[in-house]
Amino acid sequence: MTITLITGANKGIGYETARQLLALGHVVYIGARDAERGEKAAATLGARFVQLDVTDDASVSGALATIDAAEGRLDVLVNNAGILADGTADGPTALRAFDTNAVGMVRVTEAALPLLRRSSNPTVVTVSSSAGSFWAVTNPERPEFNLPLALYSASKSAATMLTVQYAKSMPGIKFNAVEPGTTATDLTAAFGIGRTPQESARVVVRFATLDAGGPSGTFQDDNGEVPW
């Protein structure tokens, strides 16, 4: 039995990742800020719910304590929660973007490490973005070249780097970042672009189900490693 926690999983890619992992036999904990939405999503899927706001230390520690008490370990952590932070690029918006997309990942990962270390095959997947890739945003042939999301892009660059650094410092745990593909979710509704969350969740699921010999410290999409 594989115990999995997915942050920001009451909708979009997180929700679909939960659905696909449940179908593979995982025990899935859906983490969500909004208890009502999170509980509804968990009930619909047959998952379990923990209230988890990645910007709140007490919320994060409480969620992991709940999983610890119920399961005694965590096998897979999917750092999925994120915000687009579009609009005005001011100090408060920048702080919110980094607090959710990068610092939030650190909060949850650090709280989860004691539980992950009790797993026989501990795995951490960060849902990042090629919008945070220098290669992609400077390549006129890539859609990221014209994406006006400075704070989102910069915070996703940080999330990818954090993933690589965790992998280097903790060789006993697999850490990988993934680009799920441009996806039609609440985040991208204003742009009117993207494929279904079902399609995009597949790469997340692939890295959440790596065997013990799987890669670590990589940034990948459907087609393999992404330059960044």
Side-chain angles (χ1 to χ4, degrees):
M1 188 182 300
T2 303
I3 312 300
T4 299
L5 168 63
I6 307 171
T7 66
N10 61 293
K11 60 183 179 180
I13 294 171
Y15 180 90
E16 182 56 31
T17 299
R19 190 186 68 78
Q20 293 182 24
L21 289 175
L22 283 161
L24 293 173
H26 287 223
V27 173
V28 175
Y29 282 82
I30 282 179
R33 284 182 300 178
D34 187 299
E36 185 178 347
R37 291 177 183 172
E39 287 170 351
K40 181 179 179 181
T44 301
L45 289 170
R48 302 174 188 185
F49 168 71
V50 284
Q51 195 282 328
L52 198 163
D53 179 348
V54 301
T55 68
D56 183 280
D57 290 294
S59 171
V60 170
S61 60
L64 271 299
T66 297
I67 296 171
D68 189 7
E71 312 293 348
R73 74 175 195 280
L74 183 65
D75 300 300
V76 179
L77 168 62
V78 179
N79 285 308
N80 170 72
I83 60 172
L84 202 56
D86 55 345
T88 304
D90 54 17
T93 307
L95 286 170
R96 191 164 62 253
F98 277 85
D99 198 21
T100 305
N101 296 347
V103 181
M105 175 210 161
V106 174
R107 281 193 189 92
V108 177
T109 301
E110 291 295 326
L113 283 173
L115 282 74
L116 287 163
R117 291 189 176 113
R118 296 181 208 146
S119 171
S120 60
N121 184 27
T123 303
V124 179
V125 184
T126 299
V127 179
S128 192
S129 173
S130 54
S133 158
F134 288 84
W135 165 78
V137 300
T138 57
N139 183 346
E141 296 181 0
R142 293 282 303 190
E144 297 87 352
F145 184 81
N146 295 307
L147 206 60
L149 297 171
L151 297 176
Y152 176 78
S153 296
S155 61
K156 288 298 188 178
S157 293
T160 303
M161 178 58 77
L162 285 163
T163 303
V164 172
Q165 295 294 341
Y166 269 120
K168 289 176 65 177
S169 64
M170 298 179 192
I173 302 174
K174 289 183 294 299
F175 288 86
N176 291 285
V178 298
E179 156 58 70
T182 305
T183 311
T185 65
D186 287 356
L187 284 188
T188 60
F191 298 99
I193 55 174
R195 61 186 183 179
T196 66
Q198 288 88 337
E199 292 174 281
S200 294
R202 287 177 193 150
V203 68
V204 185
V205 169
R206 178 153 58 90
F207 280 87
T209 54
L210 292 174
D211 61 28
S216 186
T218 69
F219 177 37
Q220 301 202 37
D221 64 8
D222 290 338
N223 301 310
E225 292 208 37
V226 179
W228 65 287

